[in-house]
Amino acid sequence: MKRLYKGIKVAFVFLILLSAVVVSWFACRPYTDSMQLGRGDVIPLEHEWRVSASADSRTATLRWTLPESMPSDMALCLRSNYMAVTVWVGDEKLYAYGDRPTSSFGVPLGQLYLIVDLPASAQGQELRAEISSRWAIQPEQLTGRTYYGTRGNIRSLVFDSNTGAFIFGFLSLIFGALFLLLSACLALKRNKAYTPYNGFLYLGLFIFLAGLWVVTDSNLPQFITAHVEPVFYTSFFSFMLMPVALLFFIRETKMHGNRVVEACILLLLVNMAVSSCLHLAGLVPLMDSVLATHALLFICVVVLLVVCIREEWVYHNHTLREIWIGLAALGASALLAIVQFYVSPMSDNSFFFRIGLLVFIILLCVSAFKRAVAALNENAQTAVYKQLAYVDLMTHLQNRTAFEKVQADLEASTTQAERLGYIVFDINNLKETNDTYGHAEGDQLIIRAGRYIGRQWEGVGKCFRIGGDEFAVQLNHTSAREIEESLRSFAAAVA
């Protein structure tokens, strides 16, 4: 199982790198559709269009008669919900989006605001928008979020409706990057007793990928990059990898359901790989695999909830409480977001998810820091226990175990010890003291002897209590004359 888990981690890293390569490739391709916003009143046109649709509802035509008088800098704003759009005035084509020849990778259309400049010669004429889609088009998709006004006011409307998502995503990116930096700092100070940096690493990846998805799922990147494809693929890959990073974080906790978590990770990675391959081969567009992905995510959330709740109720492991409560909040918000995605595609699909994600991130941070504090305490206790194993509790000198370890290290050392000397003591008449005055007085005698020995040689040698009334001092780089002088000084001190 360890080899399988290691292989899953390698696959996770590989898919992250592959996603970066694909996004970079599309970012380098030329893109001609105009999505930039300029400057300039906004009139909703939802109830102004005359709509005619084909029998299968995959193509439709919208018609609207332009005002007899139009100020300059007027524009039409249409929302593309993965649809190709061509706008005409008479026989003049004003705008075309999504009618380019497709490449082997396919051309993702995305959910964009399409801005159509309206020339002064078009006033009073009929404007026609021809729309086509791979799927049946809902009425709301045809006329919802269509506006007429100056470009500046349209820009303000778009920015105002997406600012919340963009700020949330941007802050998540910063927060995630800080956790990644923290994990890197902890990794540099890694030791066997303290390894919570893995938890911070996967938590940082999850928060960073969640922020990246929220940002790219909003409509603002189209006005920053003027490029649909890298934004689309970044949104897709971050959405697919985000739950994997979360599962790796949960996998780092001490729980009994690690095999179930590993199975979920493997399923999500396989789903991402298969969906990507089918899309790149031109067989199944990514949007056609969304339903399967949503179903798989829902199953994983339910399974994880069961595992976490069982961990607390059956095994009485309370370290996962924040995680399963956060999972419940995130699962409920994700379910609402998915329902909204299918019921109202033109809405802000990440709104409910952002709320649940915020609650989840807060609880995850609480869990991560609690685990870090527990690891620090465990590390401190380990260091104390390790120290106590080599210290005599009565005299606070090193004990016989420490003495034997020092001798074993000397014997195993390849370098020859120079001028190494030993002084060995025992306390005379300790048994008589115990029998006459009691063991308490005998203990005080041992303590005082250890105190005098420590004062005399601590810092210049190693002092040990090697038996009940026996002590030893190891001196390095010391001559016989120096040892004799130190013994005379010691005798004068205890006289």
Side-chain angles (χ1 to χ4, degrees), residues 36-40 73 75 115 117 149-156:
Q36 301 291 329
L37 288 177
R39 289 190 173 275
D73 195 29
I115 313 300
D117 289 322
T150 60
R151 289 177 64 89
N153 284 357
I154 290 177
R155 179 186 61 180
S156 299

Side-chain angles (χ1 to χ4, degrees), residues 162-176 206-216 218 220 242 330 333 348 350-362:
N162 288 272
T163 299
F166 190 83
I167 292 176
F168 178 88
F170 185 73
L171 291 177
S172 297
L173 288 174
I174 296 177
F175 203 41
F206 170 71
I207 297 175
F208 188 87
L209 289 170
L212 192 61
W213 175 71
V214 171
V215 168
T216 53
S218 71
L220 295 188
M242 175 175 56
L330 183 65
S333 64
D348 181 4
S350 68
F351 174 74
F352 291 110
F353 182 78
R354 293 198 303 270
I355 297 175
L357 184 61
L358 178 61
V359 174
F360 190 45
I361 287 175
I362 293 173

Side-chain angles (χ1 to χ4, degrees), residues 195-207:
T195 56
Y197 65 90
N198 280 340
F200 287 125
L201 170 64
Y202 296 128
L203 177 60
L205 274 175
F206 170 71
I207 297 175

Side-chain angles (χ1 to χ4, degrees), residues 179-180 182-183 186 195-207 245-246 248-253 364-365 367-369 371-372:
F179 270 105
L180 292 175
L182 176 60
S183 70
L186 293 175
T195 56
Y197 65 90
N198 280 340
F200 287 125
L201 170 64
Y202 296 128
L203 177 60
L205 274 175
F206 170 71
I207 297 175
L246 172 61
F248 273 117
F249 171 78
I250 296 176
R251 171 65 176 74
E252 291 298 315
T253 61
L364 281 184
C365 292
S367 175
F369 279 107
R371 285 165 52 191

Side-chain angles (χ1 to χ4, degrees), residues 9-317:
K9 292 172 72 173
V10 171
F12 178 51
V13 174
F14 173 75
L15 287 175
I16 289 179
L17 295 176
L18 182 62
S19 303
V21 170
V22 173
V23 170
S24 301
W25 188 85
F26 280 104
C28 295
R29 294 181 61 199
Y31 199 82
T32 57
D33 286 336
S34 174
M35 296 173 294
Q36 301 291 329
L37 288 177
R39 289 190 173 275
D41 287 303
V42 177
I43 301 173
L45 300 179
E46 184 174 355
H47 303 294
E48 303 296 326
W49 296 99
R50 301 185 299 276
V51 181
S52 59
S54 62
D56 60 2
S57 298
R58 294 191 178 187
T59 60
T61 302
L62 308 180
R63 290 179 171 83
W64 177 57
T65 303
L66 293 169
E68 293 293 337
S69 176
M70 293 193 308
S72 61
D73 195 29
M74 298 302 288
L76 175 71
C77 176
L78 298 168
R79 180 77 183 274
S80 167
N81 187 40
Y82 307 104
M83 301 180 295
V85 179
T86 306
V87 179
W88 303 79
V89 171
D91 296 329
E92 180 184 359
K93 182 191 290 187
L94 297 183
Y95 187 91
Y97 170 74
D99 64 345
R100 303 183 310 280
T102 61
S103 67
S104 58
F105 288 87
V107 178
L109 299 179
Q111 298 189 67
L112 306 173
Y113 284 96
L114 308 179
I115 313 300
V116 183
D117 289 322
L118 299 175
S121 59
Q123 56 190 7
Q125 298 190 47
E126 183 183 73
L127 182 143
R128 185 173 76 256
E130 297 175 352
I131 299 174
S132 61
S133 173
R134 289 176 49 85
W135 309 276
I137 306 172
Q138 300 179 21
E140 182 189 359
Q141 293 177 265
L142 292 173
T143 60
R145 298 199 179 185
T146 55
Y147 306 99
Y148 166 77
T150 60
R151 289 177 64 89
N153 284 357
I154 290 177
R155 179 186 61 180
S156 299
L157 177 68
V158 173
F159 272 69
D160 289 345
S161 61
N162 288 272
T163 299
F166 190 83
I167 292 176
F168 178 88
F170 185 73
L171 291 177
S172 297
L173 288 174
I174 296 177
F175 203 41
L178 290 175
F179 270 105
L180 292 175
L181 181 62
L182 176 60
S183 70
C185 294
L186 293 175
L188 293 176
K189 299 181 179 180
R190 178 181 181 179
N191 60 67
K192 293 182 179 179
Y194 179 55
T195 56
Y197 65 90
N198 280 340
F200 287 125
L201 170 64
Y202 296 128
L203 177 60
L205 274 175
F206 170 71
I207 297 175
F208 188 87
L209 289 170
L212 192 61
W213 175 71
V214 171
V215 168
T216 53
D217 196 56
S218 71
N219 294 106
L220 295 188
Q222 72 173 88
F223 305 119
I224 298 172
T225 65
H227 213 329
V228 172
E229 290 167 341
V231 175
F232 175 85
Y233 286 108
T234 300
S235 177
F236 171 76
F237 290 132
S238 58
F239 177 76
M240 298 292 281
L241 292 170
M242 175 175 56
V244 177
L246 172 61
L247 290 171
F248 273 117
F249 171 78
I250 296 176
R251 171 65 176 74
E252 291 298 315
T253 61
K254 297 177 180 178
M255 59 185 294
H256 296 81
N258 280 340
R259 290 188 178 182
V260 176
V261 176
E262 291 166 6
C264 291
I265 293 173
L266 188 59
L267 284 175
L268 290 172
L269 292 178
V270 169
N271 176 66
M272 176 181 175
V274 171
S275 300
S276 301
C277 290
L278 291 175
H279 174 75
L280 298 180
L283 299 176
V284 180
L286 288 177
M287 286 305 300
D288 286 1
S289 64
V290 167
L291 181 60
T293 301
H294 286 164
L296 184 58
L297 288 174
F298 179 76
I299 292 172
C300 288
V301 169
V302 172
V303 169
L304 285 176
L305 272 175
V306 172
V307 169
C308 292
I309 294 175
R310 186 193 67 166
E311 191 72 17
E312 177 161 352
W313 289 356
V314 176
Y315 298 104
H316 305 289
N317 181 4

Side-chain angles (χ1 to χ4, degrees), residues 405-425:
K405 183 177 184 301
V406 169
Q407 306 317 303
D409 291 343
L410 284 173
E411 293 176 2
S413 176
T414 57
T415 59
Q416 186 69 29
E418 297 182 0
R419 301 170 63 187
L420 181 64
Y422 288 91
I423 306 173
V424 179
F425 305 86

